[in-house]
Structure formats: C-alpha cells, structure tokens
Amino acid sequence: MSRYSKRISEKIERTKKSADPPVKKPGRDIVLIILICINFIFLLIGWPQLAVVDRAIYILLEGALLSIYAQRHAKISDAAIDKVKYLSFIFMGLALLLFIYSCYVRYIK
C-alpha cells in the first residue's frame, strides 16, 4: 500500500512540474533595439527634408517601438502592460492612417 501511495505522489509531483513551464528570461530583442536606433537616426537626419506628416509618422513609429520595448522589458503591473500594449497599437494605427493620407496627397490628389 505504501508503495502505491509513493507512486501516486510521484506522479502528482511530475504533473505539477510539467504543468508549470519554466519562466523564460526575457531576451534582449536586438532586432527591436536596432529598429529603434535606425528609426531615430532617420528622424534626425531627415528632419529638414521631411514634411510635417512624414515627421509625425516617424515619431509615431518611434513611440510604437518604444512602447513595445517597454511592454517586454519594464517591470510593471499586468494592467499597465495592457495599457502599454494598447498604446502601441494606437501609435501603429495612427502611423498607418497618416501613411495612407500621405500617399493619397502625393499620388492621387
């Protein structure tokens, strides 16, 4: 009887260990860091040549990239992570709308 209870307790411990996946350390997201740097450099270099709409697009994209980086690496609560996620979606959506508007003004109008 004790042998069976030992087997059952071992099975329960194994299932508990397999049910909880190991916590992964967040990576550095080197691609995201490179994109943030490239976008910032393009914004700095091209500032005099860019139109107001294009400047706004680059600023919104920079905000979206930074909020994605903050979402992944900042130690904030779950509610704040959700807000940062929605903020990044808003930045990307506004950048897309401004890009469509910019294309309309340049090529269709």
Side-chain angles (χ1 to χ4, degrees), residues 5 12 17 27 30 33 88 91 101 104 108:
S5 65
I12 291 172
K17 289 179 182 177
I30 193 71
I33 293 171
S88 67
F91 282 153
Y101 174 74
Y104 173 75
I108 297 175

Side-chain angles (χ1 to χ4, degrees), residues 64-87:
L65 290 171
L66 288 173
S67 62
I68 290 170
Y69 187 81
Q71 173 193 349
R72 292 184 180 177
H73 296 286
K75 294 182 181 0
I76 52 179
S77 66
D78 290 335
I81 286 176
D82 289 339
K83 290 179 184 177
V84 171
K85 186 190 308 183
Y86 294 133
L87 183 68

Side-chain angles (χ1 to χ4, degrees), residues 17-18 21 25 34 54 58 61 63 66 74 87 90 97 109:
K17 289 179 182 177
S18 65
K25 290 183 179 179
I34 290 171
D54 297 330
Y58 275 105
L61 286 176
L66 288 173
L87 183 68
I90 289 170
L97 288 175
K109 196 171 182 183

Side-chain angles (χ1 to χ4, degrees), residues 1-84:
M1 191 71 166
S2 67
R3 186 172 36 169
Y4 291 123
S5 65
K6 184 178 179 182
R7 285 183 187 173
I8 291 172
S9 64
E10 286 175 358
K11 286 182 181 181
I12 291 172
E13 287 177 20
R14 278 191 232 139
T15 57
K16 284 183 181 177
K17 289 179 182 177
S18 65
D20 297 330
V23 178
K24 294 182 180 179
K25 290 183 179 179
R28 287 196 159 195
D29 289 332
I30 193 71
V31 176
L32 185 60
I33 293 171
I34 290 171
L35 285 174
I36 290 170
C37 292
I38 288 173
N39 192 26
F40 187 70
I41 290 169
F42 281 167
L43 188 61
L44 283 179
I45 292 173
W47 189 266
Q49 290 86 16
L50 293 174
V52 175
V53 175
D54 297 330
R55 290 178 191 167
I57 291 171
Y58 275 105
I59 290 170
L60 286 170
L61 286 176
E62 188 74 23
L65 290 171
L66 288 173
S67 62
I68 290 170
Y69 187 81
Q71 173 193 349
R72 292 184 180 177
H73 296 286
K75 294 182 181 0
I76 52 179
S77 66
D78 290 335
I81 286 176
D82 289 339
K83 290 179 184 177
V84 171

